[in-house]
Amino acid sequence: MASKTLFQTTMRTARSQRFSLLVLSFLANILLLASSIYMLQVFDRVLASGSLDTLIWLSVIAIFAIITYGFLEFARRKILNRTGAWVASELSPAVIKRTISARLEHGRSPAGLGDVKDVRNFLAGDAILAFLDAPWTPVFITVIWLMHPFLGMIAVAGAIMLFAIGVLHDILTRHRASTAAMQMREVNNDAQAYVENAETLAGMGMVEAVLANWKRSRAQAEADGSQAEETSSVLYNLSRSLRLALQIAILGTGAALVLRAELTAGGMIAASIILARALSPVERAISAWKAFGSYRLASGRLERLFRMTADDQPQVSLPKPEGKLEVTDLRYFSPETKAPIIRSVSMKLAPGTLCGVLGPSGSGKSSLCRLLVGAWRPNFGEVRLDGASLSDWNSTERGKFIGYLPQQTELFHGTIAQNIARMGEVDDAAVLAAARKAGAHGMILALEHGYETEVGNFADQLSGGQKQRIGLARALYKDPSLVVLDEPNSNLDGTGELALQQALVKMRKAGQTVVVVSHVPTLLRHMDKIAVIQDGTVAAFGNRDDIMRDMMAKGRHVTAKSASQAAE
């Protein structure tokens, strides 16, 4: 039997409130009969007897019942609101973590925080109340039947017709609504991507073009959604009209029965009120069906997300590695297209070795970096650090021993000190040591607020080179055993380039194993080993001088051949 996912466990806990809600719903719906009983007694007893005392006591009892009903209704909504908030607080961190894992392992995530929001909105909304009250419809109809079978038949026919409208509503709107929701989700994601890449769009005059495309996509999504909304609106209004017509029918029938002395005037009024209570949950359920549809789709997506990503299992904490790196027959395929990205990579680096990685664009250098730090999991082969596979550590433990600087350096919302400390507890001494080692200490102090400068996705006061130097400090935080730098000098000026070279010298002295993707000769001269990647394969690997000599020889041969062909 498959184990329960965190999503299933959380939802099961949330559903444990059902008993309390059912008890409260039972009491609330019983108290809803108070107004009907009051009307019945006033018309049939008070007006007939002319007793003012009876009227006063009936009024007091009815008011008490209504006030009690108000408290019960408040309790129901409070339980639902707190349940929805609890589910969101339990699921949100796990969903973010699993979305990251799914993005790395499968290329995309089937769910996100928007789905958690849909689940919360349903659990805390009126839809649940409508569904809780719906089972009491037969009870109210039975009460009407006991007043007179003709009235009961009208109530039964009305309930059947409203139920049929609800089923028709689901059949006609479910597919359209789900398709429109998915399309709108993609449209909103596109809009967010445009905002995040505002500089590129504005700088190249692409704003109007992308907005035109976005408007077309949004219009299509809106059109599909509008069709579902219009269908839902028509059916909802039909149900409301039908309910009003049924009340007229039951009043008219009741009046006829009063004239025939088969029903009292109080019974006629009470039957009309009870019918409204009986059919109200069915009508509300139709209007709440959209929320239920969103909840159902969101639950399915979240369940897929939790099924496709595994929980971190408790593992023995391994000691800090010395930095011995072994890569054996490493292969990696695109999660979406299944095209090979890394075909075969094998190499060994002793602790304290600096290895440069060369290769043309698209050869797989950046992909290799992601595999070396454990961000991606290889399809075949393995990466070992001091004999232990990277999978032998959970990501938090492994991250303490690995430093990584990607091509695009992203700083997260917080201070520079928090970013260098990898958004954990800030160790002042370690932050300063990492910044000095990366040659970023003076640059950071030159900022107005120094290490307390706020940065993030939209903090534009830092240049690309400054972000890259802070990213290097983050990679060097607490002297990790393995450091992987992907084009670490792509945004650096002369000062930053010199600081990077000095950092490489310090890393060698500290015995750290370093892998650097670069084409800059001044950086390559610090390397001990060179790996040449071509089409996802290691074309050459060895000592720096030997590899550079072979490359220069091949370069001269190609140049001579080209010159000879030109002379001919």
Side-chain angles (χ1 to χ4, degrees), residues 7 11 84 87-88 91-92 111-125 127-128 177-178 181-182 185 288 290-302:
F7 176 71
M11 296 306 295
V87 167
L91 291 181
S92 295
L113 288 181
D115 297 298
V116 177
K117 182 180 178 182
D118 287 342
V119 170
R120 176 180 179 173
N121 289 342
F122 175 75
L123 293 178
I128 290 286
S178 62
M182 292 177 63
R185 186 181 180 187
K290 179 181 178 181
F292 177 66
S294 298
Y295 163 78
R296 184 170 51 191
L297 292 172
S299 296
R301 288 193 290 262
L302 288 169

Side-chain angles (χ1 to χ4, degrees), residues 368-434:
L368 176 61
C369 290
R370 298 183 184 107
L371 291 165
L372 293 180
V373 300
W376 288 358
R377 293 186 180 182
N379 297 101
F380 299 97
E382 57 186 0
V383 179
R384 290 185 174 272
L385 196 56
D386 277 24
S389 174
L390 293 187
S391 60
D392 291 342
W393 284 285
N394 64 45
S395 61
T396 302
E397 288 287 329
R398 183 180 66 233
K400 298 176 182 178
F401 311 133
I402 294 178
Y404 177 44
L405 178 64
Q407 276 191 24
Q408 301 296 327
T409 304
E410 295 293 342
L411 302 181
F412 304 101
H413 180 69
T415 64
I416 289 177
Q418 289 173 324
N419 272 270
I420 293 177
R422 305 186 180 188
M423 305 309 293
E425 184 177 351
V426 176
D427 183 332
D428 292 342
V431 167
L432 293 173

Side-chain angles (χ1 to χ4, degrees), residues 447-507:
L447 298 173
E448 182 179 358
H449 300 291
Y451 283 90
E452 299 305 312
T453 301
E454 291 284 339
V455 295
N457 291 335
F458 300 102
D460 299 324
Q461 68 266 34
L462 298 182
S463 68
Q466 289 174 315
K467 290 179 180 180
Q468 198 161 38
R469 293 170 72 177
I470 294 171
L472 177 60
R474 180 174 60 193
L476 300 179
Y477 182 66
K478 291 192 173 181
D479 297 320
S481 303
L482 172 65
V483 180
V484 179
L485 309 175
D486 190 358
E487 298 283 0
N489 55 341
S490 59
N491 292 310
L492 299 182
D493 55 13
T495 303
E497 186 86 34
L498 180 60
L500 176 59
Q501 294 183 47
Q502 294 172 346
L504 291 173
V505 173
K506 293 175 182 177
M507 283 185 265

Side-chain angles (χ1 to χ4, degrees), residues 273-295:
I273 296 174
I274 295 174
L275 178 67
R277 302 299 188 192
L279 300 183
S280 177
V282 181
E283 181 184 345
R284 285 159 52 206
I286 294 174
S287 63
W289 203 258
K290 179 181 178 181
F292 177 66
S294 298
Y295 163 78

Side-chain angles (χ1 to χ4, degrees), residues 6-18:
L6 175 62
F7 176 71
Q8 291 176 322
T9 303
T10 302
M11 296 306 295
R12 183 176 181 179
T13 304
R15 285 192 288 269
S16 66
Q17 301 296 321
R18 285 181 299 185

Side-chain angles (χ1 to χ4, degrees), residues 91-105 109 113 305-306 309-313 394-396:
L91 291 181
S92 295
V95 167
I96 293 174
K97 184 177 180 180
R98 290 171 181 271
T99 298
I100 293 172
S101 298
R103 175 68 180 83
L104 293 173
E105 294 181 21
S109 172
L113 288 181
L305 174 64
F306 278 79
T309 52
D311 291 309
D312 285 337
Q313 299 298 323
N394 64 45
S395 61
T396 302

